[in-house]
Amino acid sequence: MKNQNLLKTYIIFTLLYLIILYFDLEGFDWYMKPLLLPILMATVAVSSNFPTKKFLLTALTFSWIGDIILLFADKGELYFIFGLVAFLLSHLVYIVLFSKQQNTRTIDNKIIFWIGVLAILTYFVFMINTLFPKLGPLKIPVLVYAIVITTMLFFAFKGNLKWAIPANNYILIGAIVFVSSDSILAFNKFYAPIAHASFYIMATYCLAQYLIVKGILKLNNNNI
């Protein structure tokens, strides 16, 4: 019951934050952003124990650190790079988290599996081909990051074919939306400015974290 109330609190805070962010209400969003993920972290903390609970908390913690660092991204390029590193670590932990979830099914349809793999690889190639000429000295860091988030998406997709329903769908959609958030950020920073980019980045990011947390808790038989 506690985790359900915390998730509702997260939704309310997130909606309020996004409204403030969209209308740029005197920078209040700057103070609200660091409050969001701790609510999800508390949701996981009060949930009943499961084998990968620490991994989920660790992934959320690295994401939260990245959130805070990126608040200062306008102060210098190093803040962006350190924020990138924090999210890189978060995605690496998500990969481990997904790989350790219990499988309850087998991959029966190999065609769907390989279509999914092809779609993920197509996304990766498109992103690299589009952004690489614009990256300058950040080519290698962004390439490494792209490889990691693509791998994270692959593990979520692979798990979707093996995990219990509907938790598997929450996690896969969450991973897709997470990659979408990173993609919007990359296009806005390196390719061309996007109107209300911060709003779209954070809306997809907040939704992604919510869906992954909800999916992992459901997958591990938490009452949520």
Side-chain angles (χ1 to χ4, degrees):
M1 191 65 178
K2 285 182 179 180
N3 50 24
Q4 291 179 350
N5 289 334
L6 283 167
L7 275 185
K8 290 176 183 176
T9 302
Y10 174 79
I11 293 171
I12 293 170
F13 266 70
T14 297
L15 290 175
L16 179 59
Y17 165 75
L18 291 174
I19 291 170
I20 291 172
L21 182 63
Y22 186 84
F23 291 104
D24 193 20
L25 300 179
E26 299 182 9
F28 288 155
D29 57 289
W30 198 91
Y31 298 99
M32 286 193 66
K33 184 179 178 182
L35 302 177
L36 298 176
L37 281 197
I39 301 174
L40 284 183
M41 292 159 67
T43 304
V44 177
V46 302
S47 298
S48 59
N49 287 327
F50 54 95
T52 55
K53 183 174 183 177
K54 290 183 179 178
F55 287 102
L56 180 54
L57 284 171
T58 302
L60 290 171
T61 300
F62 279 125
S63 292
W64 180 61
I65 292 170
D67 285 343
I68 294 173
I69 294 174
L70 289 181
L71 287 173
F72 303 94
D74 59 340
K75 305 294 184 183
E77 198 69 28
L78 276 179
Y79 288 101
F80 176 77
I81 294 173
F82 286 138
L84 197 71
V85 170
F87 279 107
L88 179 72
L89 293 172
S90 175
H91 284 305
L92 287 172
V93 178
Y94 272 130
I95 290 170
V96 175
L97 174 70
F98 296 161
S99 70
K100 289 182 174 293
Q101 296 308 304
Q102 182 179 2
N103 298 325
T104 57
R105 298 179 293 147
T106 57
I107 300 177
D108 296 322
N109 196 326
K110 299 294 184 181
I111 295 177
I112 291 178
F113 174 77
W114 287 112
I115 289 174
V117 170
L118 180 61
I120 293 169
L121 289 175
T122 300
Y123 155 80
F124 175 78
V125 172
F126 170 76
M127 286 294 292
I128 294 303
N129 284 343
T130 303
L131 297 178
F132 222 62
K134 307 274 189 177
L135 296 177
L138 291 178
K139 279 186 173 66
I140 300 303
V142 173
L143 175 61
V144 171
Y145 190 87
I147 291 172
V148 171
I149 64 170
T150 303
T151 304
M152 184 274 292
L153 179 57
F154 167 75
F155 273 86
F157 168 69
K158 184 180 178 182
N160 181 263
L161 301 176
K162 294 183 174 183
W163 298 330
I165 301 171
N168 63 330
N169 294 322
Y170 280 104
I171 297 168
L172 176 59
I173 295 171
I176 292 171
V177 177
F178 212 144
V179 170
S180 300
S181 179
D182 285 334
S183 301
I184 296 169
L185 187 153
F187 267 90
N188 181 68
K189 182 172 180 63
F190 299 114
Y191 193 77
I194 299 173
H196 298 294
S198 295
F199 172 81
Y200 295 120
I201 292 167
M202 290 306 300
T204 48
Y205 169 73
C206 292
L207 176 60
Q209 297 282 24
Y210 170 83
L211 289 172
I212 291 174
V213 167
K214 190 175 178 72
I216 292 294
L217 293 181
K218 273 185 172 295
L219 200 57
N220 289 277
N221 300 315
N222 275 273
N223 182 27
I224 202 163

